[in-house]
Amino acid sequence: MNDPGLDQPIENSARKVEQEEGKTKDADGVDADQAYLQPSRWWFASTAFPLLAGTFGPMASAFNICTLAAKWRVIFDPAAGQSEDDGMAVEDPSWLIGINAVSLVIALVANFALLLNMTQRLSFKIAQPITIIGWYISGFILVALMVAAVKAPSFQLESTLNGTQEVHLTQAFYYAIMSAALYFIIASLMTITVYGAYAGHYPKKFELTMSQRTLMVQTIAFLFYLLAGAAVFSKIENWLFLNGVYWASTTLLTVGTGDFSPKTHLGQGLLFPYAIGGIVILGLVVGSIRSLVLERGKKKLSARITEKKREQIVKQWQKHENNIKVSHFSKAHDLSAEDKTELERREQEFDVMRQIQEHSHTRRKWLALTISLSCWMVLWFIGAVVFWRAERLQQGLTYFEALYFSYVSLLTIGYGDYAPVANASKAFFVFWSLLAVPTLTILISNMGDTVVKLVRDVSLWAAEFTLLPGERSMRQRLTKPFREGKLQKIFSNDQKPVEESPGGAFMPEQDKDVEGNHDEHKPKQINRAVDALGEEAEERQLSEVEKAKRSGSKLDEDLHLYHYLLVHQIREVMKDSGESPPKQYRYHEWRWFLRLLGETEDDKQFHRKPPVEATEEDLDGGIGNAGQKWSWLGARSPLLGEMNEADWLLSMLTEKLEQLLLTESKRYRESTSDSDKASKDFSSDTLSDGGGGGQS
């Protein structure tokens, strides 16, 4: 379960593929800049639930295969020192095998229908009934078989046993329990998804992005690899197939319980490529979960928390509570217009919105850590309960020992002093350890945003007193956290400081990174062709400015200078696009950008007091449209949504430049047309005058 560090390459590749596809909408069909207005529960229903179903559906079918691969009963004699693995398997009735196979076929059809629907090969109305009904039928069939296995008279063997012999259920029976439970869960999730679609919360159509389909395919590949390896090694080492499945899971998940290991030279030789291949596939799955699922979920959750906090602050403002505080530790802001210029009031709005972003980011980080830690703890304690109940008769295991074994296994330490022996605990261990992969991945990622960051900051501060002494005095080092507000920002957003200069055309260049490693946060390749075209366009506009000066046309001079400013600023913003963490601009920088877009922050005609909920006007378009007023705390604020500020500005600036160039092109065509018309009229008049003179 260790992460080999493949998350960054996977994330970059997925982002590149999705950019090439040119997607402009979310998976649930909502525009990206308005997705934060949608309740997060419907994002889960439209995107997360189908992804879970597409991932756990194949797992349920894999467990269903395990129910068919072995007999359901075994006879052994504990008094003779036999274990369940040493017992004699009892043939199952033909009706059990046949019905079990039917349940597997129906489940595979349901899985296939879901995959076809996700790839738009089968319509939503046809695929979803097949998927949901198929999984429910498979689950009910397995439940009926399990009841029959316990209650049916033809399944009982007590009358044929010797005095000390016992009949136990094999791992196949317990795989049937887990398979049926998964079928019911994922079918219920897809039922919620269908309900949301027919209720109008999102279109009756969904598809996974390329990165999400990659995760699903990798999960299917990992399960196939695990079962195939179990079949091969169980044949070579003379193991039961389901013991081979248990061994394969402990090997590929790097737990290493030590109770099963290859003894033959062939098995030991095949372990070399098999273990490496499995760990690589597992690393891809772990990296995909962290880089693709987590990052997208973080954006969704953070944007939604920001919107809810914004609505709360606006409600306070509408109640004439002028001294607004975003949190208990934040600075109070007076948003009243009394004794303030419009520029000062707008700057107050901007500062409050920035505090809302920081508060929401902090809350999202610690909320995510709390949830992931709680899930991991539940997995730990519930797993310990199951192992304790299953092994207390076989090994005499206490709950504390089961808790110890679960902890060692979850962290992939694997001392080998404890291992599952009972059939129930072996089957459960496979499912439990597979659940531990995403759980531990999410927990480690969330700890990196919070606890690890806190330890890092404290370590660097403490290192200044020991290993890394600087030029500051002891007093300056001790008071540094208080002077810089570090103690108040321990749980705050880890954003880079924004420099004072906006880096405009007539302003000094920004120092992108004081440590000189700015390029490490950029995409691997900047579009040099676009940058070169931008530089050429700048030179062309400057030459047009000089021509206009010489001709004395003040209008053309100002127009080409405006074009130059837009092109230059687009190139500068392109350098900020793709930064990690995303670039955040200061208020005076935003003033400069808005000025380029045709707005001024000190003009009230562009502004309004924000409503609590988004109106139809808010959803019609962004700022800069004629007649549309907006607020930094409104739903149309460029600080809201999932699109980062640099990308938003890049989109607006390029749109503005395109509009100006189209207007200039139209004006040029009209002037050319008028010039041609005047030339024709002059020629006609000249010919008329010449003809009249000849006659006279």
Side-chain angles (χ1 to χ4, degrees):
M1 283 181 274
N2 298 324
D3 183 2
L6 299 174
D7 54 315
Q8 191 63 36
I10 294 173
E11 182 180 6
N12 294 338
S13 300
R15 185 184 297 114
K16 181 178 179 181
V17 169
E18 290 178 6
Q19 288 174 351
E20 290 175 353
E21 289 180 347
K23 295 186 178 291
T24 59
K25 290 184 178 289
D26 248 330
D28 53 3
V30 179
D31 290 338
D33 57 351
Q34 298 175 9
Y36 66 94
L37 298 175
Q38 303 295 324
S40 56
R41 60 181 176 273
W42 294 119
W43 174 81
F44 279 102
S46 64
T47 304
F49 286 176
L51 181 60
L52 288 173
T55 303
F56 283 94
M59 182 184 295
S61 298
F63 290 162
N64 204 340
I65 292 173
C66 293
T67 66
L68 274 170
K71 309 299 187 294
W72 281 31
R73 298 165 296 172
V74 62
I75 298 176
F76 70 103
D77 190 353
Q82 289 183 339
S83 65
E84 293 176 334
D85 290 340
D86 301 325
M88 179 182 65
V90 181
E91 291 293 331
D92 294 327
S94 56
W95 55 265
L96 186 145
I97 299 174
I99 297 176
N100 198 353
V102 170
S103 71
L104 176 60
V105 172
I106 294 175
L108 291 176
V109 171
N111 276 295
F112 190 63
L114 179 63
L115 291 176
L116 289 178
N117 185 209
M118 289 177 175
T119 56
Q120 302 299 308
R121 311 263 175 146
L122 195 61
S123 68
F124 188 89
K125 294 181 180 180
I126 297 176
Q128 291 312 306
I130 295 175
T131 299
I132 295 173
I133 295 173
W135 278 336
Y136 272 129
I137 291 176
S138 297
F140 280 119
I141 288 176
L142 289 177
V143 170
L145 289 178
M146 288 184 287
V147 172
V150 177
K151 299 296 183 181
S154 61
F155 211 73
Q156 307 302 318
L157 296 174
E158 279 75 6
S159 58
T160 63
L161 299 179
N162 296 331
T164 58
Q165 287 183 332
E166 296 180 3
V167 178
H168 281 202
L169 297 168
T170 65
Q171 296 180 52
F173 178 85
Y174 298 103
Y175 277 113
I177 295 176
M178 294 181 291
S179 181
L182 286 176
Y183 284 144
F184 284 125
I185 291 173
I186 57 181
S188 300
L189 293 180
M190 291 307 301
T191 301
I192 297 174
T193 297
V194 172
Y195 168 78
Y198 279 93
H201 295 289
Y202 40 84
K204 297 184 185 73
K205 171 185 175 182
F206 64 85
E207 59 177 329
L208 296 179
T209 63
M210 179 62 70
S211 56
Q212 291 166 340
R213 286 199 298 268
T214 299
L215 172 61
M216 192 171 63
V217 170
Q218 289 168 353
T219 304
I220 295 174
F222 178 77
L223 291 171
F224 176 80
Y225 193 84
L226 186 147
L227 293 179
V232 172
F233 279 89
S234 60
K235 184 70 174 178
I236 294 174
E237 300 295 333
N238 197 25
W239 295 333
L240 298 174
F241 171 71
L242 296 185
N243 283 340
V245 174
Y246 162 75
W247 169 83
S249 68
T250 60
T251 300
L252 299 184
L253 300 179
T254 67
V255 178
T257 52
D259 48 345
F260 284 89
S261 60
K263 304 298 182 184
T264 65
H265 290 298
L266 178 59
Q268 292 172 350
L270 288 178
L271 178 65
F272 299 151
Y274 179 72
I276 290 296
I279 291 173
V280 168
I281 298 176
L282 179 64
L284 293 173
V285 173
V286 171
S288 295
I289 292 172
R290 176 186 296 173
S291 304
L292 308 178
V293 178
L294 280 179
E295 292 305 320
R296 297 177 189 279
K298 285 178 181 179
K299 290 181 179 179
K300 292 280 185 181
L301 184 59
S302 183
R304 188 56 187 164
I305 292 176
T306 301
E307 170 61 13
K308 299 295 287 186
K309 188 64 179 180
R310 182 199 68 82
E311 292 178 0
Q312 178 185 345
I313 294 299
V314 173
K315 287 179 181 178
Q316 294 181 18
W317 190 7
Q318 290 185 348
K319 293 178 181 178
H320 305 290
E321 298 178 12
N322 293 327
N323 291 324
I324 302 297
K325 291 188 69 173
V326 177
S327 64
H328 295 292
F329 302 101
S330 63
K331 177 184 175 182
H333 292 273
D334 183 7
L335 296 180
S336 63
E338 300 176 0
D339 302 329
K340 285 192 182 73
T341 64
E342 180 66 10
L343 190 60
E344 292 173 340
R345 190 190 66 79
R346 293 282 290 181
E347 187 170 4
Q348 288 285 330
E349 281 189 19
F350 182 89
D351 292 340
V352 170
M353 192 64 234
R354 276 284 185 245
Q355 287 190 4
I356 291 175
Q357 287 182 308
E358 183 175 340
H359 171 80
S360 301
H361 181 83
T362 301
R363 183 181 176 189
R364 194 272 307 160
K365 287 194 304 183
W366 290 96
L367 179 63
L369 176 63
T370 302
I371 294 174
S372 58
L373 181 59
S374 299
C375 292
W376 187 84
M377 296 287 286
V378 167
L379 193 66
W380 177 22
F381 289 118
I382 296 300
V385 170
V386 174
F387 291 128
W388 168 53
R389 298 290 294 180
E391 297 292 343
R392 61 177 181 169
L393 297 179
Q394 296 285 338
Q395 300 188 67
L397 206 66
T398 66
Y399 180 71
F400 179 78
E401 291 172 335
L403 200 66
Y404 163 80
F405 165 72
S406 301
Y407 185 83
V408 169
S409 300
L410 276 177
L411 298 183
T412 68
I413 298 174
Y415 289 125
D417 47 351
Y418 291 95
V421 174
N423 287 331
S425 58
K426 284 182 182 178
F428 176 76
F429 183 88
V430 174
F431 175 61
W432 179 78
S433 58
L434 289 175
L435 286 182
V437 172
T439 305
L440 190 60
T441 298
I442 295 171
L443 176 61
I444 291 175
S445 178
N446 291 329
M447 289 182 65
D449 292 340
T450 51
V451 179
V452 175
K453 174 183 174 297
L454 177 60
V455 173
R456 181 198 64 191
D457 292 343
V458 172
S459 300
L460 291 176
W461 179 68
E464 293 186 2
F465 299 96
T466 54
L467 302 177
L468 302 172
E471 298 179 355
R472 290 189 296 267
S473 64
M474 182 67 67
R475 180 179 178 181
Q476 289 176 326
R477 295 191 194 116
L478 288 173
T479 58
K480 177 183 176 183
F482 299 93
R483 288 184 287 103
E484 297 183 357
K486 291 292 186 181
L487 295 184
Q488 289 81 9
K489 296 183 179 180
I490 283 178
F491 305 108
S492 66
N493 190 356
D494 186 20
Q495 299 286 350
K496 293 188 300 185
V498 185
E499 292 73 20
E500 292 294 329
S501 170
F506 303 110
M507 302 181 186
E509 290 290 325
Q510 300 178 30
D511 184 10
K512 296 296 182 183
D513 196 330
V514 295
E515 296 181 1
N517 58 355
H518 172 70
D519 289 338
E520 296 178 1
H521 302 294
K522 288 185 177 181
K524 295 295 183 181
Q525 294 181 348
I526 298 176
N527 196 332
R528 296 176 181 173
V530 174
D531 190 61
L533 288 174
E535 184 177 2
E536 182 180 348
E538 285 185 29
E539 295 175 355
R540 187 185 304 117
Q541 293 300 328
L542 287 177
S543 64
E544 293 293 335
V545 170
E546 294 298 327
K547 288 182 182 179
K549 282 183 179 180
R550 290 193 296 268
S551 64
S553 176
K554 183 63 176 175
L555 177 62
D556 287 344
E557 179 184 349
D558 293 340
L559 185 61
H560 289 298
L561 182 60
Y562 188 19
H563 292 172
Y564 165 77
L565 293 176
L566 285 172
V567 173
H568 180 80
Q569 201 61 62
I570 287 172
R571 293 184 61 206
E572 293 300 314
V573 174
M574 284 182 63
K575 298 175 183 177
D576 298 331
S577 180
E579 280 194 359
S580 180
K583 173 86 174 196
Q584 286 189 339
Y585 298 97
R586 292 190 181 274
Y587 179 68
H588 69 274
E589 294 176 295
W590 272 104
R591 284 182 56 195
W592 166 251
F593 292 130
L594 293 175
R595 191 69 177 269
L596 288 176
L597 293 174
E599 293 194 14
T600 55
E601 280 289 273
D602 54 359
D603 192 345
K604 292 184 179 181
Q605 68 172 333
F606 295 108
H607 311 145
R608 69 170 181 178
K609 195 170 183 178
V612 176
E613 297 182 356
T615 62
E616 291 295 332
E617 182 184 1
D618 293 325
L619 301 179
D620 287 341
I623 67 174
N625 298 327
Q628 290 187 343
K629 299 182 179 181
W630 63 283
S631 167
W632 287 109
L633 289 172
R636 199 187 293 126
S637 172
L639 303 184
L640 286 175
E642 296 180 40
M643 184 180 293
N644 62 58
E645 296 176 22
D647 291 341
W648 187 93
L649 284 170
L650 196 59
S651 174
M652 295 297 293
L653 290 171
T654 52
E655 181 180 348
K656 187 69 174 180
L657 180 61
E658 182 180 1
Q659 292 174 356
L660 290 173
L661 292 177
L662 288 175
T663 302
E664 183 184 8
S665 176
K666 182 179 179 181
R667 186 171 66 90
Y668 176 77
R669 288 196 301 269
E670 290 176 352
S671 63
T672 304
S673 176
D674 293 341
S675 177
D676 292 342
K677 183 178 179 181
S679 177
K680 290 180 180 179
D681 292 342
F682 176 78
S683 300
S684 177
D685 293 342
T686 303
L687 291 173
S688 298
D689 293 342
Q695 291 175 356
S696 61

